[in-house]
Amino acid sequence: AQSVAQPEDQVNVAEGNPLTVKCTYSVSGNPYLFWYVQYPNRGLQFLLKYITGDNLVKGSYGFEAEFNKSQTSFHLKKPSALVSDSALYFCAVRQTDSWGKLQFGAGTQVVVTP
Amino acid sequence: NAGVTQTPKFQVLKTGQSMTLQCAQDMNHEYMSWYRQDPGMGLRLIHYSVGAGITDQGEVPNGYNVSRSTTEDFPLRLLSAAPSQTSVYFCASRSGGGPRYEQYFGPGTRLTVT
């Protein structure tokens, strides 16, 4: 079985400050990890993914995420948040030997204030 | 490329009515899936397909049917709508190259069952 936890329902940050959205996962075997973002009344957009190799992954819009196998975490980060980063962020995991099922976290609402 | 398209964008049904949510993709993706999004629960997988003629159940399949007669189309049928099926429905597709690939999401269908 696989599961994802996003411990914060909402993250509030001032524009220009660093942004971190937390994600921990549970999977038997090696994981593929993904971050998606959802803007209001829109579908999900892919941000970045960890497949293998370098633990620090860079993605779209200046976001990056760090894979930590010992802590089973994949936190999303951005050095300097923008008001336009305000959105709903989802972490997702898929077992490397699982053809189909992608398990999503409950989502974290990010609010960036001017 | 239009990507993943969904129709309708909004729908209101009465309890007991049936309807079909349409999903199409023009990326020649083998893998397609349907999710429902409910507040605080992330996205939950309803059904998925790994290619034309092949479908399987996800996490919450009850009350829904799917079929996949072509690579492009993956309709979701609600057999007898219930208020518990009030949700936002997303269709997604990805390359058939394997589980390491990210999914592309449609804009969603907001369904209300009264």
Side-chain angles (χ1 to χ4, degrees), chain A residues 96-110:
Chain A
T96 57
D97 60 352
S98 168
W99 218 97
K101 300 180 181 180
L102 185 63
Q103 185 72 42
F104 283 86
T108 298
Q109 183 70 48
V110 170

Side-chain angles (χ1 to χ4, degrees), chain A residues 25 30-35 46-59 65-69 73-75 92-96, chain B residues 99-102:
Chain A
Y25 67 90
N30 294 318
Y32 292 141
L33 293 155
F34 302 81
W35 276 102
F46 169 73
L47 275 181
L48 50 79
K49 65 182 177 183
Y50 172 80
I51 302 301
T52 188
D54 194 347
N55 289 342
L56 185 63
V57 178
K58 295 189 183 296
E66 186 166 11
F67 171 64
N68 188 318
K69 188 172 184 177
S73 67
F74 190 56
H75 301 330
V93 66
R94 180 187 289 132
Q95 289 178 220
T96 57
Chain B
R100 63 176 53 206
Y101 291 94
E102 62 272 20

Side-chain angles (χ1 to χ4, degrees), chain B residues 62-81:
Chain B
N62 292 339
Y64 307 96
N65 268 1
V66 292
S67 60
R68 183 97 178 268
S69 56
T70 67
T71 299
E72 295 78 19
D73 300 300
F74 190 44
L76 179 71
R77 280 180 284 276
L78 280 69
L79 309 173
S80 177

Side-chain angles (χ1 to χ4, degrees), chain A residues 36 38 49 94 98-100, chain B residues 31 37 94 99 102-103:
Chain A
Y36 289 85
Q38 184 181 31
K49 65 182 177 183
R94 180 187 289 132
S98 168
W99 218 97
Chain B
Y31 179 87
Q37 182 181 22
R94 68 168 166 83
E102 62 272 20
Q103 295 192 116

Side-chain angles (χ1 to χ4, degrees), chain B residues 13-17 80-83 113-114:
Chain B
L13 290 178
K14 296 185 185 299
T15 298
Q17 287 184 319
S80 177
V113 183
T114 61

